């Protein structure tokens, strides 16, 4: 009898200890702030992360909130001013670096606390069906014969802009970059032959290539796309271009380490979930999980590399 009482007492102590260490956030639902419009690649991928987290028991439950506009800057400004209480998570990628380095935004990645990187996506360059070239070699020849005549669509100061600058640099050509506020407008411009090229997602490329409304000229990755197996990589075409969009979650500066650890634990569980991993590969991306310390180092290293690129290409603003 005494043994049973002691066992119950021990169990009660363990339960109390567990409750004492349980993290309680001051909200029933935490928002995952996505600074782009619904339906775009960033929105879709972060909804997959959010849905998986909720399915795997995230507490509080998570809800995607889209704040679009200004090439991601409007949502970024909202995220940086949010309370550091764990009730707002910011879904982001290198657009923070691009907007800051080009002087469009004062906010930097240092204004946030890294939680986890989750997903990487290779850069694919699509082209209007009437574009006078079909790959990087023929685009290089056309551009050198017609300086400034290649019309490229991107969002100035964002990652799509930096991708085009890196392609331009690798090919040794000059392009005229036309700014669009988001992927959807850029795709429409290509489909209407208003511009020649622009960055597209694998899913978008596959859809429009199949219908004959768009063509693709290169994938800026080390491996070919499984969905577009005939599309040669930039390196296969003789150009050293490797560009990815790397998406992860961060928190407003000032948040406690307990909150960081709370979300890192949730995201690690998501990253290891087979159903989630399949959902990401089905969208043409891949899971690339990094815990907080590793993700912070990635931000530091990427900022250093992108600063050098911006300086070399003449777009770095003090």
């Amino acid at each position: 009898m005494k043994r049973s009482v002691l066992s119950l007492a021990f169990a009660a102590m363990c339960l109390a200890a567990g409750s004492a260490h349980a993290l309680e956030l001051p909200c029933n639902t935490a928002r995952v702030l996505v600074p782009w419009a619904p339906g775009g690649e960033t929105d879709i991928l972060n909804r997959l992360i959010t849905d998986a987290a909720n399915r795997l028991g995230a507490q509080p439950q998570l809800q995607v909130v889209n704040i679009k506009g200004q090439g991601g800057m409007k949502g970024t400004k909202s995220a940086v001013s949010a309370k550091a209480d764990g009730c707002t998570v910011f879904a982001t990628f290198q657009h923070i670096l691009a907007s800051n380095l080009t002087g469009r935004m004062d906010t930097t990645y240092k204004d946030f606390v890294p939680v986890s990187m989750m997903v990487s996506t290779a850069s694919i360059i699509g082209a209007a069906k009437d574009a006078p070239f079909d790959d990087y070699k023929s685009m290089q020849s056309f551009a050198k014969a017609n300086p400034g005549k290649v019309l490229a669509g991107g969002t100035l100061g964002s990652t799509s802009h930096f991708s085009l600058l890196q392609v331009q640099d690798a090919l040794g050509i000059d392009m005229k970059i036309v700014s669009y506020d988001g992927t959807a407008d850029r795709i429409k411009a290509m489909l209407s032959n208003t511009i020649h090229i622009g960055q597209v997602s694998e899913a978008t490329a596959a859809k429009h290539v199949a219908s004959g409304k768009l063509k693709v000229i290169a994938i800026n990755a080390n491996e070919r796309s499984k969905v577009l197996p005939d599309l040669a990589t930039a390196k296969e075409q003789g150009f050293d271009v490797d560009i990815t969009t790397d998406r992860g979650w961060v928190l407003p500066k000032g948040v406690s380490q307990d909150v960081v650890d709370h979300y890192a634990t949730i995201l690690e569980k998501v990253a290891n979930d087979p159903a989630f991993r399949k959902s990401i590969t089905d969208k043409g991306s891949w899971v690339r999980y990094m815990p907080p310390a590793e993700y912070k180092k990635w931000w530091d290293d990427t900022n250093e590399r992108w600063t050098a690129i911006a300086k070399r290409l003449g777009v770095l603003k003090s």
Side-chain angles (χ1 to χ4, degrees):
M1 185 70 173
K2 185 184 290 186
R3 190 172 182 180
S4 298
V5 171
L6 289 173
S7 297
L8 287 170
F10 179 74
M13 287 173 59
C14 290
L15 182 61
S19 299
H21 290 290
L23 183 66
E24 292 186 10
L25 300 181
C27 49
N28 294 321
T29 302
R31 61 176 186 163
V32 178
L33 201 159
V34 175
W36 307 95
E41 188 173 46
T42 296
D43 175 67
I44 291 170
L45 293 173
N46 279 289
R47 285 181 187 274
L48 291 174
I49 296 171
T50 301
D51 290 347
N54 287 335
R55 173 171 56 80
L56 295 170
Q59 290 297 330
Q61 289 280 282
L62 304 165
Q63 181 177 5
V64 170
V65 175
N66 299 88
I67 300 181
K68 65 177 183 177
Q70 303 173 341
M73 290 193 298
K74 187 174 181 180
T76 302
K77 291 172 184 175
S78 178
V80 81
S81 62
K83 287 184 178 180
D85 58 2
C87 291
T88 298
V89 178
F90 186 40
T92 190
F93 54 97
Q94 295 101 319
H95 69 91
I96 295 179
L97 300 181
S99 294
N100 176 259
L101 292 172
T102 55
R104 297 177 72 235
M105 182 173 68
D106 291 334
T107 301
T108 77
Y109 74 98
K110 294 181 180 179
D111 292 316
F112 298 97
V113 179
V115 177
S116 303
M117 183 188 287
M118 290 298 289
V119 177
S120 286
T121 309
S123 162
I124 294 176
I125 301 298
K129 63 184 179 70
D130 293 337
F133 40 77
D134 299 307
D135 54 25
Y136 274 172
K137 282 284 187 184
S138 55
M139 186 173 84
Q140 182 187 54
S141 297
F142 176 82
K144 288 191 173 182
N146 303 274
K149 296 296 184 182
V150 174
L151 301 179
T155 302
L156 290 182
S158 191
T159 51
S160 58
H161 181 200
F162 262 68
S163 294
L164 293 172
L165 290 174
Q166 290 176 73
V167 169
Q168 179 176 265
D169 187 46
L171 271 61
I173 60 175
D174 289 321
M175 301 188 295
K176 182 177 180 181
I177 298 177
V178 183
S179 186
Y180 293 92
D181 189 17
T183 305
D185 290 342
R186 183 167 69 242
I187 299 300
K188 288 177 184 176
M190 275 191 286
L191 293 175
S192 63
N193 285 290
T194 303
I195 58 174
H196 292 118
I197 69 166
Q199 187 167 273
V200 297
S201 69
E202 186 180 75
T204 298
K207 172 185 173 182
H208 292 302
V209 167
S211 67
K213 295 179 180 179
L214 198 71
K215 56 187 176 182
V216 283
I217 60 176
I219 178 170
N220 299 310
N222 292 321
E223 297 180 4
R224 291 195 179 198
S225 160
K226 291 181 175 63
V227 176
L228 301 163
D230 295 331
L231 178 61
T233 68
K235 291 180 181 178
E236 287 176 323
Q237 298 182 46
F239 301 99
D240 187 16
V241 187
D242 184 7
I243 304 169
T244 57
T245 298
D246 305 296
R247 296 178 173 90
W249 286 9
V250 300
L251 291 163
K253 195 172 182 178
V255 72
S256 71
Q257 187 60 45
D258 283 347
V259 174
V260 176
D261 294 341
H262 172 74
Y263 281 109
T265 299
I266 292 171
L267 292 181
E268 184 175 13
K269 187 184 294 185
V270 170
N272 289 317
D273 180 63
F276 169 73
R277 297 181 75 89
K278 183 179 185 303
S279 73
I280 294 298
T281 56
D282 285 348
K283 294 298 180 184
S285 297
W286 63 93
V287 175
R288 187 186 178 192
Y289 174 78
M290 289 184 188
E294 186 179 347
Y295 191 30
K296 180 185 182 303
K297 184 178 186 305
W298 176 87
W299 275 110
D300 290 337
D301 292 346
T302 305
N303 180 64
E304 183 178 348
R305 183 166 55 86
W306 277 46
T307 299
I309 291 171
K311 188 178 296 184
R312 186 174 74 248
L313 299 180
V315 297
L316 180 65
K317 299 293 173 63
S318 58

